């Protein structure tokens, strides 16, 4: 479907186990048709730069490649940014 190309990409920087990440994904569940969720496991060797940057901060979220929030989902901020992207 051609509309999926326009969907914002929400990147979740995570590792296993990450109870806060699981919690964050549950909070985002009602919005999941509006974005593409991309998970980056910071413990993988190819993601070592992210691990250095975020090892004490996960979950960390980037929206379309830009830092959005960390630790917990700020639903108001997320909604605002998502809507802004959808209107572009």
């Amino acid at each position: 479907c051609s509309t999926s190309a326009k969907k914002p990409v929400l990147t979740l920087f995570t590792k296993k186990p990450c109870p806060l990440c699981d919690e964050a994904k549950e909070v985002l569940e009602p919005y999941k048709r509006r974005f593409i969720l991309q998970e980056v496991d910071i413990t993988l060797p190819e993601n070592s730069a992210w691990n250095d940057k975020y090892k004490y901060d996960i979950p960390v979220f980037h929206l379309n490649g830009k830092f959005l929030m960390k630790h917990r989902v700020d639903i108001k901020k997320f909604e605002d940014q998502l809507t802004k992207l959808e209107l572009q």
Side-chain angles (χ1 to χ4, degrees):
C1 126
S2 62
T3 56
S4 70
K6 297 214 184 308
K7 273 192 195 174
V9 176
L10 185 69
T11 307
L12 165 59
F13 294 90
T14 184
K15 65 183 178 189
K16 300 269 185 267
C18 177
L20 283 178
C21 302
D22 298 337
E23 192 181 298
K25 284 191 274 189
E26 279 177 37
V27 173
L28 293 168
E29 184 71 21
Y31 300 90
K32 72 172 195 238
R33 284 193 290 289
R34 293 173 60 192
F35 65 88
I36 296 159
L37 181 65
Q38 177 186 23
E39 291 190 44
V40 175
D41 183 339
I42 64 168
T43 63
L44 298 176
E46 66 267 26
N47 296 328
S48 63
W50 292 119
N51 190 31
D52 294 344
K53 190 169 186 173
Y54 291 145
K55 79 175 113 196
Y56 303 114
D57 286 323
I58 61 164
V60 175
F61 292 93
H62 286 195
L63 189 59
N64 279 3
K66 291 195 190 106
F67 175 83
L68 182 65
M69 56 196 170
K70 66 183 180 182
H71 302 152
R72 299 211 178 273
V73 173
D74 178 339
I75 210 69
K76 171 99 179 79
K77 185 177 194 178
F78 174 69
E79 269 186 41
D80 290 349
Q81 293 300 314
L82 192 59
T83 303
K84 201 182 285 182
L85 287 169
E86 287 168 344
L87 295 173
Q88 282 177 0

